[in-house]
Amino acid sequence: MTLYKLSVSTQVNPEDWDKDVIRLNGNSLHTYTWSCYSAENNSATPLYFRLKDKSENIIAVSFGLLTEKKKGIRFFSSLSFGSMAAASIPDNTRVMAYEIHKYCKNNNIVVLSMNSFGTPCESDVIPEIGFSSSRRWEFVLDIGITEEELWEKLHSKKRNLIRKGQKEGLRVVNEKGLDKLLKFRQLAVDTYERKTRQGIPYPAPGENSIYNRMQKHLVDSGLGRLYLTYSDDQVVAGAFFVAFNKQVYYMLSSASDTGLKMAAPDLILWTSITDYQKEGCTLFNFGGLSEGELNGSPLEQSGLYHFKHRFSPQVYPCFKGKLILRPLHHRIYSFVKKLKSMT
């Protein structure tokens, strides 16, 4: 008798899907809204995976982004998962990963990518299956306690920086509207240019269209939240978060030189943590730090590690990876793509 059954569809009822995400302890990165945002950002088709047990109970859910390149017939297809499956029992997360792998092999998917953003637990199944993988660490703080208890957990240096931002008269505002998101984007552009001049790796900001989609899918739905920090009328720092099912994920941040000197990033994080705590959220994920960002140095030598770790989160090792399932198709596609780039 088959113990598990995997169902895959291109459309789901949004309300029913999100109810399963909540029941299975999922977060923002599992939601229907996030699937639409991600699919539009990547010009991909979302595929919704449900794992059922022998009694037809849904025990895990996950969505992947399907990208296809066609020339008359389908030639190249890739399927990418940003997070591990939502499942109330960790073993079911592992089962889902194996079932997705089996599905891809049976459906001629050329490349399967699987990451663990927001879902560090059980991600060691990624190298176990055979993915070419790299390590990642995520920083998760329990905020289901009082504000006083959160303050006491902070490293003394972090408390001093938060006090500094407050003494500088900085204002942290929960902002809405596309014009505010575009101010955040400009701050990210300035940050990118400064880091590039300093020889420090920093992701290039997306085009305006990405921020339009953030407004449309994330802010308007209530899933996403933008905080901007002001010194007088000048924006000196910004941060963007998503929250669902009492779990918060820290997505993006940037700060000007002035903001850094005034400890704006520390104050903006403390403000967001305490706001979400008051609203009943219980977990705050500071996001991750990938192996490639360390340039061969130990994790503990990273400035970003200390910035996050001084909020006293638990550090969870996890993985992300890629698996080429049809090497010949992948080689041919890569060769043709290279030729096109040369013409």
Side-chain angles (χ1 to χ4, degrees):
M1 178 183 293
T2 303
L3 293 177
Y4 303 102
K5 178 183 177 182
L6 185 69
S7 67
V8 185
S9 57
T10 56
Q11 293 184 335
V12 293
N13 178 288
E15 185 177 347
D16 290 344
W17 178 266
D18 284 348
K19 282 181 179 177
D20 284 331
V21 170
I22 292 172
R23 181 175 57 82
L24 296 168
N25 199 37
N27 60 51
S28 303
L29 308 184
H30 296 114
T31 61
Y32 179 79
T33 298
W34 185 263
S35 75
C36 296
Y37 167 71
S38 300
E40 196 172 326
N41 258 353
N42 293 279
S43 301
T45 301
L47 293 185
Y48 299 93
F49 291 74
R50 289 184 172 105
L51 183 67
K52 300 179 181 179
D53 63 16
K54 60 183 179 181
S55 300
E56 294 290 311
N57 298 308
I58 298 172
I59 59 173
V61 294
S62 187
F63 79 85
L65 300 179
L66 177 66
T67 304
E68 297 181 296
K69 304 295 182 183
K70 297 181 180 180
K71 286 215 168 182
I73 59 172
R74 186 172 77 182
F75 177 75
F76 181 88
S77 58
S78 64
L79 187 58
S80 175
F81 292 81
S83 303
M84 306 297 293
S88 55
I89 300 174
D91 281 350
N92 292 339
T93 300
R94 303 181 69 82
V95 173
M96 176 67 103
Y98 276 100
E99 290 296 321
I100 289 170
H101 178 232
K102 188 188 303 181
Y103 169 86
C104 291
K105 290 179 70 176
N106 292 340
N107 287 273
N108 298 319
I109 301 295
V110 178
V111 177
L112 171 60
S113 298
M114 194 171 288
N115 298 322
S116 56
F117 300 111
T119 52
C121 296
E122 301 300 315
S123 73
D124 54 340
V125 71
I126 292 175
E128 182 180 299
I129 290 177
F131 284 78
S132 173
S133 59
S134 60
R135 291 180 298 169
R136 176 179 165 81
W137 294 267
E138 290 212 333
F139 302 76
V140 183
L141 178 66
D142 174 10
I143 62 171
I145 54 179
T146 67
E147 184 174 327
E148 291 74 18
E149 289 170 325
L150 285 170
W151 182 257
E152 288 302 316
K153 290 184 72 172
L154 296 179
H155 191 285
S156 59
K157 290 184 179 179
K158 188 64 66 177
R159 290 199 290 265
N160 290 337
L161 287 168
I162 293 168
R163 290 190 187 103
K164 178 180 180 180
Q166 293 169 336
K167 289 177 181 177
E168 294 280 1
L170 296 177
R171 294 183 296 113
V172 180
V173 183
N174 176 6
E175 296 282 28
K176 295 182 180 179
L178 181 58
D179 59 326
K180 304 300 183 183
L181 272 170
L182 293 179
K183 283 181 179 291
F184 179 50
R185 181 186 181 275
Q186 186 56 55
L187 188 65
V189 170
D190 295 343
T191 303
Y192 172 73
E193 291 174 349
R194 182 182 75 246
K195 297 281 190 182
T196 300
R197 288 194 301 269
Q198 296 171 347
I200 301 172
Y202 188 83
E207 299 297 325
N208 280 11
S209 57
I210 292 179
Y211 291 80
N212 291 338
R213 289 191 283 272
M214 287 171 67
Q215 179 69 41
K216 169 186 168 184
H217 290 293
L218 305 181
V219 178
D220 287 348
S221 69
L223 192 73
R225 183 179 299 182
L226 172 68
Y227 284 91
L228 294 179
T229 303
Y230 295 85
S231 174
D232 296 325
D233 293 328
Q234 181 185 6
V235 176
V236 296
F240 193 85
F241 308 86
V242 287
F244 184 80
N245 198 22
K246 299 184 179 181
Q247 301 176 53
V248 187
Y249 195 82
Y250 179 26
M251 274 185 61
L252 298 167
S253 67
S254 55
S256 66
D257 276 335
T258 300
L260 291 174
K261 292 173 183 174
M262 300 173 83
D266 302 279
L267 182 59
I268 205 171
L269 265 177
W270 174 247
T271 302
S272 64
I273 289 169
T274 52
D275 280 357
Y276 280 116
Q277 180 265 344
K278 290 182 180 75
E279 294 166 20
C281 290
T282 56
L283 286 179
F284 191 99
N285 191 320
F286 289 83
L289 179 59
S290 297
E291 190 173 15
E293 299 174 77
L294 298 175
N295 297 317
S297 300
L299 175 65
E300 292 76 12
Q301 290 183 13
S302 164
L304 189 57
Y305 168 85
H306 288 288
F307 175 76
K308 295 173 186 282
H309 197 252
R310 284 174 178 165
F311 281 95
S312 296
Q314 293 292 314
V315 183
Y316 292 93
C318 49
F319 292 90
K320 58 181 181 177
K322 182 169 76 172
L323 182 60
I324 299 172
L325 297 167
R326 307 188 75 192
L328 179 59
H329 280 69
H330 186 263
R331 285 198 297 271
I332 294 173
Y333 176 74
S334 298
F335 177 71
V336 171
K337 188 176 179 181
K338 184 176 180 180
L339 283 179
K340 284 186 176 180
S341 69
M342 296 170 64
T343 59

